[in-house]
Amino acid sequence: MTVSPEQLANDPEQPTDSPGQHHWHVLGAGAMGCLWAARLAESFIQTGHTPNVTLILRDNDALASFTGQVVVESAQGEATPFNLKATSAAQLNYPVSNLLVTTKAFDTEEALRSVLPWLDHNSTICLLQNGIRNHLALQNMTGIRVLSMTTSHGAWLKHRFHVVHAGSGQTFFGPLQTVNPEYSRHLSRSTFPAALTKSMNLKHTEDMEKRLWQKFAANCVINGLTVIHDCQNGALLTRPSAHQDLVSLCSETETVLTQTDRLNMALYPYVRKILLATATNWSSTWQDVQAGRITEIEEFNGYLCELAARANLPCPHNQAVLRSITNHHAVIR
Ligand SMILES: NC(=O)C1=CN([C@@H]2O[C@H](COP(=O)(O)OP(=O)(O)OC[C@H]3O[C@@H](n4cnc5c(N)ncnc54)[C@H](OP(=O)(O)O)[C@@H]3O)[C@@H](O)[C@H]2O)C=CC1
Ligand SMILES: CC(C)(CO)C(=O)C(=O)O
């Protein structure tokens, strides 16, 4: 039977089991995936359950490199190992009920396709990634409950399966669609184990789409500029030439999002607050460029330019940022 998203979104009986009994699969065992998988395992242990968490790795080579442990290192350098199971999409042979997707935005479609045969109307997918395009595209997957997440926790991989939880933040989750209040309360209570709610400062929100647009706007304005000016986030406020670019990009991004009815808010004060709170951070895009990795810029300024083009709005500042960062990709490829 195929269940429509509307049915799922309004059915307070879904899901029926307690979050303490869920089996979680984490697709994308990078910085966020290792952190969340370990915190999920920890939350099972804290409530006396066996840690029912399985990493879904890319292939046999990745499986061969996994020793059965993920290590989480705190910002103060304290390292804690967690025993986890691992598999690959090719080796899966049973239904996946709870899937946390922590791939980079540009890998999500392919990664999800690989596990699709094992998802059904009892499955919940939680998408944790920057950008909004995937969240919008996947929210109506037929018969599968899709929730979105956005986080301000910061993490980076010291080695494979060894993650540093560098900055503690907040995470919001919820459906993009509007759902009835009873179902909303149900999602809030039953999606994640209570202990995880505490350790990851996880909150349910009925305003998920707005939060994703806000984070998207901030990523459009901050990430590329930190590469262009080769600086930490805070310097976009204090370095005059960077600040001038920031103001222009903020104004243009706000105009495009307002005129296309995506987000209606004063962007500069919002972005300033993030920059002050993350002043000494190196943005994820800056880190990707430094490490010679493809960035998520197509999901940020690339998508913004697409929205602007569809509405015949000029966006020269976003185009310049996009061009500048994709030049780095050309060198990598
Ligand atoms: N790190 C952070 O502090 C934050 C990250 N985010 C967002 O979270 C998302 C994840 O970021 P992050 O954890 O840093 O990224 P990483 O690059 O560290 O991790 C992504 C992981 O996904 C894996 N992957 C890609 N494709 C597949 C596939 N088909 N099957 C299985 N695994 C796959 C990659 O494997 P491989 O190495 O083999 O390519 C990699 O291990 C991003 O959208 C990012 O913007 C948001 C806030 C903070
Ligand atoms: C908000 C910001 C810019 C914080 O560094 C971020 O999300 C990123 O670096 O990708």
Side-chain angles (χ1 to χ4, degrees), residues 74-87:
S74 69
Q76 294 71 37
E78 191 186 330
T80 312
F82 292 87
N83 295 326
L84 296 178
K85 292 172 277 191
T87 186

Side-chain angles (χ1 to χ4, degrees), residues 26-36 56-59 62 87-89 101-115 128-131 134-135 149-157 160-161 163-167 215 219 223 281 284 287-288 293-294 296 299-300:
V26 177
L27 179 59
M32 277 289 131
C34 287
L35 176 65
W36 281 82
I56 302 179
L57 306 182
R58 192 189 274 281
D59 51 29
T87 186
S88 66
V101 184
T102 51
T103 51
K104 287 277 177 68
F106 48 76
D107 280 329
T108 299
E109 204 184 317
E110 191 186 329
L112 258 182
R113 204 174 314 119
S114 70
V115 297
L128 192 165
Q129 48 211 203
N130 279 339
N134 281 327
H135 295 264
M149 298 173 77
T150 178
T151 188
S152 58
H153 284 274
W156 55 275
L157 280 184
R160 208 161 195 193
F161 309 116
V163 60
V164 178
H165 190 181
K215 181 78 189 287
N219 287 134
N223 289 44
N281 283 20
S284 59
Q287 290 184 48
D288 286 338
R293 296 186 296 252
I294 299 290
E296 293 181 300
E299 299 302 320
F300 307 153

Side-chain angles (χ1 to χ4, degrees), residues 136-191:
L136 294 170
L138 295 169
Q139 65 171 316
N140 287 329
M141 274 178 86
T142 311
I144 298 169
R145 189 180 312 105
V146 180
L147 302 179
S148 289
M149 298 173 77
T150 178
T151 188
S152 58
H153 284 274
W156 55 275
L157 280 184
K158 197 167 193 175
H159 318 290
R160 208 161 195 193
F161 309 116
H162 182 137
V163 60
V164 178
H165 190 181
S168 205
Q170 204 169 30
T171 305
F172 289 94
F173 76 96
L176 286 197
Q177 311 97 327
T178 307
V179 298
N180 70 44
E182 195 187 346
Y183 182 64
S184 182
R185 273 193 298 280
H186 175 74
L187 281 180
S188 159
R189 277 194 313 264
S190 69
T191 305

Side-chain angles (χ1 to χ4, degrees), residues 194-303:
L196 182 77
T197 304
K198 242 187 179 170
S199 66
M200 293 307 279
N201 201 357
L202 182 61
K203 289 194 176 67
H204 175 258
T205 179
E206 291 172 6
D207 234 1
M208 197 62 223
E209 184 168 349
K210 183 174 172 195
R211 286 188 186 276
L212 285 179
W213 281 116
Q214 288 174 333
K215 181 78 189 287
F216 165 79
N219 287 134
C220 285
V221 172
I222 298 170
N223 289 44
L225 282 188
T226 60
V227 176
I228 291 167
H229 291 277
D230 192 18
C231 65
Q232 289 159 301
N233 292 353
L236 296 181
L237 291 171
T238 55
R239 208 182 277 180
S241 63
H243 187 249
Q244 201 173 349
D245 285 350
L246 178 78
V247 171
S248 312
L249 196 56
C250 246
S251 160
E252 182 180 287
T253 303
E254 181 182 320
T255 303
V256 172
L257 292 177
T258 308
Q259 303 255 324
T260 55
D261 281 335
R262 269 27 184 226
L263 183 68
N264 202 340
M265 69 182 281
L267 208 48
Y268 182 80
Y270 172 73
V271 167
R272 183 171 178 276
K273 225 162 133 186
I274 294 178
L275 290 174
L276 289 173
T278 63
T280 56
N281 283 20
W282 296 98
S283 80
S284 59
T285 306
W286 185 93
Q287 290 184 48
D288 286 338
V289 168
Q290 289 298 311
R293 296 186 296 252
I294 299 290
T295 75
E296 293 181 300
I297 208 72
E298 293 281 358
E299 299 302 320
F300 307 153
N301 307 79
Y303 188 48

